[in-house]
C-alpha cells in the first residue's frame, strides 16, 4: 500500500513539476548561462567567461547589494514588530473581526504597487497632501520626507505588509492556548511567555513571513525609484540598468545570479530549520 | 482531625453575563489532603478550578490561601499550579526542559535545575535518560508523569488537577490513579483534583466534594458518599443503585410508593423514619440485595421476575422486574451467582443496616 501511495504521489506531483521546470527552472538556467557568456556575443557556443562576475566585484556593485540587503533586513525587522500585535489579534483575539482585517489588507493588493506608491508620493511630497494641509491649517512648514533612505524602508514595509502579516497570524494560531496558560500558571510573565512559548512555537510562521518579506524586499525596485528618488541605488536597479541601458546581458545575469544565490541559500537554510508541514497542513 | 484549611473559599459566585455558573461555594481545603471535586459536565467544576488557579476571577466572594487573599491575584503570581486536562506540555522542549521550566522562570541555575529534574524523574519512575527525550516521543502515560514532574518542580502550595486522566485508556487510568494516590502520600502536598468520574474520586481521595448545577451538593469521604448520599443525584452518580420512593405512615413507619416494599422490624431505632405524609427515597446498593430462598427473611422484601443477567467481570448483575414494572438491580460475586434461569420468580431482600434514607426538600 505504501509503495502505491508513493507512486501516486509522484504522479500527482508530475504536472506541477513540469510547469515549474518550464516556467521557473528553465529561465534560471538561461540567466545562469548568460552570466558566463562573454559580453556582446549572444551565443551559447563560447568558452565560459566569468568576467561579468569579476566586474561585480571590481566596480562597487557590492554597495548597492549592501543597500538592498540592508534595507530588506530593516524592513523585515520592522514588519515583524509591526505585524506581531495585529497577527496575534487576528489569530487569538478578534474572532469574526479577523475576516474584516483580512479583507481590508487583501483589498489593498487589488491596486497596483506602483499606483499605491505614487499615492504616497503625492501625499508626502513638498506641497503635497500632508505638507499642504499642515501649512494651510497650522502654518507649519514641513520638510518632505521623500527621497531619503527611511522613506524607502517605509515603502517596503507598506508594500510587503500582507506577506508578513498572514504567515505570522498562521504561525501564532498554531501556538496552543493551554501551553501559554500553563506557562503563566508556572509563574511566567507575559514577556517570558512571549519569549519561551509564543516565539518558538510560532517559528514556522515567523520564518515564512520573514523569508517572503526579505526576499521580495531584497529584489524590490519601485520603492527606491518612486519614494527614494534614487537616493540610493538598489541592486535590482543595477540589474535593470545592465540589461537595458547598459545592454550588458552577461553583467545583468551575473548580478541576478549573485542575488539569487544569496536569497536562495537564505531561503533553504530558513525552510530547513522549520516544520513547513505544520503551517501548510499536516501530512497524513 | 481539624487541620487548618490551606485554602478557604467564601461564598464564591461566578457569573457569565446572565448565566450563573457558581452559586455561592463555601469550601475549606485542609492542608495535605487529597480533595476531589466531582460533577457532571456543566456542574461548574471547571469554572471553579479556573478560579482556584487564577485563570479567572470570581464575580463575588473571596479565596484565601493560608492568610492571604488571592482571588484577584493572577495565575503567574500564585504559589499554586495545575496539571491541565491536555497536560499542556511544551512540544518544542525536551522532557528535561519541560520539568525545569518553572525553575528557569524563577532564575534557578542550570546545574541545580538539571539535578532537580533528575530527582523528579526518579520520583515519577521515569528513567534518567528521558531528560533528553522529546515530548512528542513520549507515550500517554509518560506525558502524564512529565506533566506531574513539571508541576512538582514548581513546588506549589497546592497542586490542582483538571481531569488529567480522562483521555487515557481504562487500564492506564487505573494504574495512574493508584500512582497518584501513592505520590500524594509520598510528597505530602495538598492535591485538589477535578473529575467527572466518581469512581476515580473514590480510589484516590481523602474527601470528595460533589457539585451539581453550580452548587456543592455533598462533601464527605468516599464511604460517606457511597453509603450515605444526601440526594438522589449523588446516589445515582456513583454507579448502580436501587431507589424507592417512600412515604411516612401514621405509625411512624414507611410505606413504599411505586414498588411494594415489605418492611419488617422497627424503623425508629436506626433513624430510618419519616413523619406522616413526609416523602423520601430509600436507597440500597445492588450488592446488598440478596436473592432469598423460600424460607429466608429480611427487613425489606420485594418480589419480582428475573429479566436479564450481565457479566461484569468479577461480579454478575441481575435485572429484576418488580410487580409494578419498575426495575431493580442486584449484584452477586461470580462465585455466589444465581443458579436459576431468566424468567424465574424471585424474592429479593435486604437489611436495615445496608439501607439509607434520603430526605430531600
Amino acid at each position: 500500500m505504501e509503495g502505491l501511495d508513493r507512486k501516486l504521489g509522484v504522479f500527482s506531483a508530475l504536472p506541477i513539476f513540469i510547469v515549474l521546470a518550464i516556467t521557473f527552472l528553465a529561465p534560471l538556467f538561461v540567466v545562469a548561462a548568460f552570466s558566463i557568456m562573454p559580453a556582446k556575443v549572444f551565443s551559447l557556443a563560447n568558452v565560459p567567461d566569468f568576467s561579468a562576475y569579476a566586474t561585480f566585484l571590481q566596480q562597487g556593485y557590492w554597495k548597492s547589494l549592501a543597500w538592498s540587503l540592508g534595507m530588506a533586513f530593516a524592513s523585515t525587522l520592522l514588519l515583524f514588530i509591526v505585524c506581531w500585535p495585529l497577527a496575534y489579534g487576528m489569530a487569538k483575539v478578534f474572532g469574526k473581526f479577523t475576516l474584516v482585517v483580512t479583507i481590508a489588507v487583501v483589498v489593498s493588493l487589488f491596486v497596483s504597487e506602483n499606483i499605491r506608491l505614487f499615492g504616497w508620493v503625492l501625499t508626502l511630497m513638498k506641497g503635497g497632501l500632508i505638507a499642504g494641509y499642515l501649512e494651510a491649517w497650522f502654518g507649519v512648514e514641513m520638510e518632505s520626507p521623500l527621497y531619503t533612505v527611511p522613506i524607502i524602508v517605509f515603502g517596503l514595509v507598506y508594500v510587503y505588509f500582507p506577506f508578513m502579516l498572514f504567515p505570522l497570524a498562521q504561525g501564532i494560531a498554531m501556538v496552543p492556548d493551554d501551553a501559554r496558560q500553563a506557562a503563566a500558571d508556572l509563574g511566567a510573565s507575559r514577556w517570558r511567555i512571549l519569549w519561551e512559548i509564543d516565539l518558538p512555537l510560532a517559528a514556522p510562521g515567523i520564518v515564512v513571513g520573514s523569508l517572503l518579506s526579505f526576499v521580495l524586499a531584497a529584489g524590490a525596485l519601485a520603492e527606491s525609484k518612486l519614494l527614494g528618488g534614487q537616493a540610493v541605488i538598489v541592486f535590482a536597479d543595477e540589474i535593470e540598468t545592465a540589461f537595458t541601458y547598459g545592454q550588458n546581458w552577461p553583467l545583468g545575469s551575473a548580478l541576478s545570479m549573485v542575488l539569487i544565490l544569496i536569497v536562495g541559500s537564505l531561503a533553504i537554510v530558513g525552510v530547513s530549520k522549520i516544520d513547513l508541514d505544520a503551517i501548510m497542513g499536516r501530512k497524513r | 482531625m481539624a487541620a487548618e484549611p490551606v485554602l478557604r473559599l467564601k461564598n464564591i459566585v461566578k457569573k457569565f453575563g446572565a448565566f450563573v455558573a457558581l452559586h455561592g461555594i463555601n469550601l475549606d481545603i485542609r492542608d495535605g489532603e487529597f480533595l476531589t471535586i466531582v460533577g457532571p459536565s456543566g456542574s461548574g467544576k471547571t469554572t471553579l478550578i479556573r478560579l482556584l488557579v487564577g485563570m479567572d476571577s470570581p464575580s463575588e466572594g473571596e479565596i484565601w490561601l493560608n492568610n492571604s487573599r488571592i482571588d484577584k491575584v493572577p495565575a503567574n503570581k500564585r504559589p499554586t499550579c495545575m496539571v491541565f486536562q491536555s497536560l499542556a506540555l511544551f512540544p518544542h522542549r525536551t522532557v528535561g526542559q519541560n520539568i525545569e521550566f518553572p525553575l528557569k522562570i524563577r532564575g534557578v541555575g542550570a546545574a541545580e535545575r538539571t539535578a532537580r529534574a533528575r530527582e523528579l524523574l526518579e520520583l515519577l519512575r521515569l528513567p534518567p535518560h528521558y531528560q533528553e527525550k522529546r515530548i512528542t516521543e513520549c507515550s500517554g502515560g509518560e506525558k502524564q508523569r512529565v506533566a506531574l514532574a513539571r508541576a512538582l518542580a514548581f513546588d506549589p502550595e497546592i497542586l490542582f488537577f483538571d481531569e488529567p486522566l480522562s483521555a487515557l485508556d481504562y487500564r492506564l487510568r487505573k494504574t495512574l490513579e493508584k500512582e497518584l494516590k501513592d505520590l500524594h502520600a509520598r510528597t505530602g502536598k495538598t492535591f485538589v483534583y477535578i473529575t467527572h468520574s466518581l469512581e476515580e474520586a473514590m480510589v484516590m481521595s481523602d474527601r470528595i466534594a460533589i457539585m451539581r448545577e453550580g452548587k456543592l451538593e455533598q462533601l464527605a469521604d468516599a464511604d460517606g458518599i457511597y453509603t450515605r448520599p444526601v440526594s438522589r443525584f449523588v446516589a445515582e452518580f456513583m454507579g448502580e443503585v436501587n431507589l424507592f420512593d417512600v412515604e411516612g405512615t401514621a405509625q411512624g413507619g414507611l410505606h413504599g410508593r411505586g414498588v411494594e416494599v415489605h418492611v419488617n422490624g422497627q424503623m425508629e431505632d436506626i433513624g430510618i423514619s419519616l413523619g406522616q405524609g413526609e416523602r423520601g427515597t430509600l436507597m440500597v446498593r445492588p450488592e446488598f440485595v440478596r436473592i432469598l430462598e423460600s424460607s429466608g427473611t429480611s427487613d425489606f422484601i420485594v418480589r419480582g421476575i428475573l429479566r436479564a443477567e450481565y457479566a461484569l467481570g468479577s461480579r454478575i448483575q441481575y435485572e429484576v422486574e418488580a410487580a409494578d414494572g419498575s426495575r431493580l438491580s442486584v449484584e452477586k460475586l461470580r462465585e455466589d451467582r444465581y443458579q436459576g434461569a431468566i424468567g424465574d420468580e424471585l424474592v429479593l431482600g435486604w437489611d436495615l443496616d445496608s439501607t439509607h434514607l434520603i430526605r430531600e426538600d
Side-chain angles (χ1 to χ4, degrees):
Chain A
M1 277 311 280
E2 208 159 281
L4 182 64
D5 272 1
R6 197 162 286 244
K7 270 184 203 148
L8 286 175
V10 171
F11 277 122
S12 327
L14 204 56
I16 190 68
F17 180 76
I18 293 170
V19 169
L20 281 177
I22 295 171
T23 62
F24 182 74
L25 284 179
L28 268 187
F29 275 114
V30 172
V31 171
F34 265 119
S35 75
I36 51 171
M37 207 185 285
K40 303 190 166 69
V41 173
F42 293 101
S43 151
L44 286 171
N46 284 293
V47 187
D49 175 272
F50 290 91
S51 57
Y53 288 95
T55 315
F56 161 73
L57 291 175
Q58 287 153 10
Q59 300 210 354
Y61 284 106
W62 63 269
K63 270 190 210 159
S64 45
L65 179 63
W67 273 116
S68 276
L69 296 180
M71 289 194 297
F73 179 77
S75 62
T76 304
L77 195 66
L78 283 173
L79 270 171
F80 174 69
I81 295 168
V82 170
C83 287
W84 180 272
L86 185 59
Y88 190 88
M90 289 171 73
K92 300 283 186 192
V93 187
F94 296 162
K96 282 181 183 151
F97 185 64
T98 296
L99 188 64
V100 179
V101 177
T102 307
I103 291 171
V105 174
V106 169
V107 160
S108 76
L109 292 175
F110 290 1
V111 180
S112 121
E113 181 186 327
N114 284 356
I115 292 176
R116 283 185 289 144
L117 288 174
F118 268 123
W120 277 110
V121 172
L122 292 177
T123 310
L124 296 172
M125 67 189 211
K126 200 165 189 255
L129 208 57
I130 292 180
Y133 273 111
L134 276 181
E135 196 170 350
W137 287 349
F138 306 108
V140 185
E141 278 209 39
M142 193 193 79
E143 276 303 305
S144 165
L146 284 177
Y147 318 130
T148 58
V149 171
I151 204 70
I152 302 177
V153 175
F154 165 79
L156 293 171
V157 168
Y158 165 72
V159 168
Y160 299 116
F161 189 75
F163 297 90
M164 179 63 95
L165 181 68
F166 294 125
L168 216 50
Q170 190 77 31
I172 295 171
M174 299 189 323
V175 181
D177 290 337
D178 59 5
R180 311 184 75 254
Q181 288 170 347
D185 191 40
L186 293 166
S189 62
R190 271 162 204 263
W191 290 106
R192 277 316 270 279
I193 294 172
L194 177 71
W195 184 250
E196 302 273 354
I197 309 294
D198 288 333
L199 289 178
L201 285 175
I206 298 172
V207 171
V208 170
S210 303
L211 274 179
L212 281 177
S213 328
F214 184 85
V215 168
L216 290 170
L221 185 56
E223 291 78 8
S224 77
K225 272 195 167 170
L226 297 178
L227 297 179
Q230 295 184 314
V232 290
I233 309 291
V234 292
F235 202 57
D237 210 357
E238 303 275 22
I239 295 173
E240 196 197 22
T241 309
F243 274 114
T244 55
Y245 183 75
Q247 281 298 306
N248 190 345
W249 285 35
L251 179 61
S253 302
L255 297 181
S256 304
M257 285 312 289
V258 170
L259 189 58
I260 288 167
L261 282 177
I262 292 173
V263 161
S265 37
L266 259 179
I268 288 168
V269 170
V271 168
S272 69
K273 288 245 191 288
I274 54 155
D275 184 7
L276 257 193
D277 288 332
I279 201 164
M280 299 295 190
R282 178 66 52 188
K283 269 188 290 196
R284 263 192 312 136
Chain B
M1 139 128 196
E4 264 304 287
V6 58
L7 194 73
R8 174 166 274 176
L9 279 70
K10 290 183 183 166
N11 197 32
I12 294 295
V13 174
K14 180 67 185 175
K15 293 175 188 158
F16 296 104
F19 174 71
V20 183
L22 297 172
H23 304 258
I25 303 281
N26 287 292
L27 178 63
D28 282 359
I29 296 171
R30 296 171 188 154
D31 194 17
E33 79 171 328
F34 196 137
L35 176 84
T36 303
I37 300 169
V38 192
S41 45
S43 60
K45 60 183 191 303
T46 304
T47 308
L48 182 62
I49 204 158
R50 286 178 62 88
L51 301 182
L52 294 184
V53 296
M55 280 155 59
D56 213 338
S57 57
S59 313
E60 289 167 36
E62 299 172 6
I63 304 173
W64 288 79
L65 179 73
N66 295 319
N67 293 317
S68 51
R69 189 171 164 183
I70 59 163
D71 45 77
K72 297 283 187 289
V73 179
N76 63 350
K77 300 264 164 56
R78 290 193 190 188
T80 58
C81 82
M82 175 161 88
V83 177
F84 285 62
Q85 181 164 23
S86 61
L87 303 181
L89 293 168
F90 307 135
H92 58 302
R93 298 272 191 258
T94 62
V95 167
Q97 287 170 332
N98 263 277
I99 298 175
E100 288 175 29
F101 185 83
L103 302 171
K104 191 175 166 193
I105 294 296
R106 228 172 268 167
V108 175
E112 199 185 329
R113 289 199 315 249
T114 317
R116 181 79 185 118
R118 204 167 280 273
E119 278 171 32
L120 285 163
L121 281 174
E122 200 186 318
L123 180 73
L124 273 302
R125 304 204 170 89
L126 287 168
H129 69 263
Y130 268 49
Q131 217 147 8
E132 304 304 322
K133 195 160 173 159
R134 298 200 68 80
I135 288 296
T136 43
E137 290 164 358
C138 293
S139 71
E142 286 164 358
K143 281 184 189 159
Q144 202 76 48
R145 293 189 182 104
V146 175
L148 259 169
R150 186 178 69 179
L152 287 170
F154 182 77
D155 195 23
E157 297 258 347
I158 302 177
L159 188 47
F160 294 100
F161 297 84
D162 183 15
E163 302 202 41
L165 303 183
S166 59
L168 300 174
D169 66 72
Y170 182 80
R171 273 190 61 175
L172 185 56
R173 202 162 69 229
K174 288 292 149 201
T175 315
L176 288 172
E177 280 170 10
K178 286 173 187 156
E179 268 183 39
L180 214 53
K181 183 170 183 169
D182 177 50
L183 189 72
H184 174 249
R186 278 189 289 158
T187 57
K189 290 217 170 287
T190 311
F191 280 22
V192 176
Y193 194 99
I194 284 222
T195 177
H196 60 268
S197 159
L198 188 50
E199 216 184 320
E200 198 169 291
M202 295 259 171
V203 175
M204 301 184 295
S205 323
D206 297 322
R207 288 195 305 163
I208 297 169
I210 308 248
M211 284 193 73
R212 178 192 188 186
E213 290 166 6
K215 294 182 185 119
L216 267 190
E217 186 95 347
Q218 186 168 9
L219 175 63
D221 62 6
D223 214 41
I225 298 281
Y226 189 74
T227 59
R228 295 179 298 282
V230 297
S231 64
R232 272 190 102 103
F233 173 80
V234 176
E236 284 174 331
F237 205 60
M238 183 61 217
E240 288 287 333
V241 66
N242 295 306
L243 299 169
F244 308 97
D245 291 327
V246 289
E247 205 178 297
T249 62
Q251 293 78 35
L254 296 175
H255 172 66
R257 290 184 298 120
V259 168
E260 189 193 347
V261 187
H262 293 265
V263 183
N264 309 328
Q266 276 298 34
M267 299 295 131
E268 292 89 325
D269 302 352
I270 51 157
I272 292 192
S273 75
L274 285 168
Q276 186 180 4
E278 216 182 328
R279 289 175 178 189
T281 306
L282 211 55
M283 180 197 93
V284 61
R285 294 281 176 192
E287 65 271 25
F288 292 112
V289 180
R290 299 195 306 271
I291 298 169
L292 298 177
E293 306 298 323
S294 50
S295 60
T297 179
S298 70
D299 297 336
F300 295 83
I301 287 172
V302 170
R303 288 169 207 285
I305 296 164
L306 180 59
R307 288 298 181 201
E309 180 183 317
Y310 306 103
L312 303 181
S314 63
R315 294 157 299 137
I316 313 281
Q317 191 185 86
Y318 301 97
E319 197 173 292
V320 177
E321 188 182 340
D324 70 333
S326 61
R327 303 253 165 176
L328 277 79
S329 61
V330 181
E331 277 180 25
K332 291 281 142 238
L333 285 173
R334 189 168 274 280
E335 68 245 41
D336 304 330
R337 70 190 301 165
Y338 174 65
Q339 299 298 336
I342 306 281
D344 284 2
E345 270 201 48
L346 297 180
V347 180
L348 304 177
W350 63 91
D351 290 329
L352 260 176
D353 54 9
S354 46
T355 310
H356 171 67
L357 181 68
I358 300 166
R359 292 162 209 267
E360 274 176 278
D361 357 274

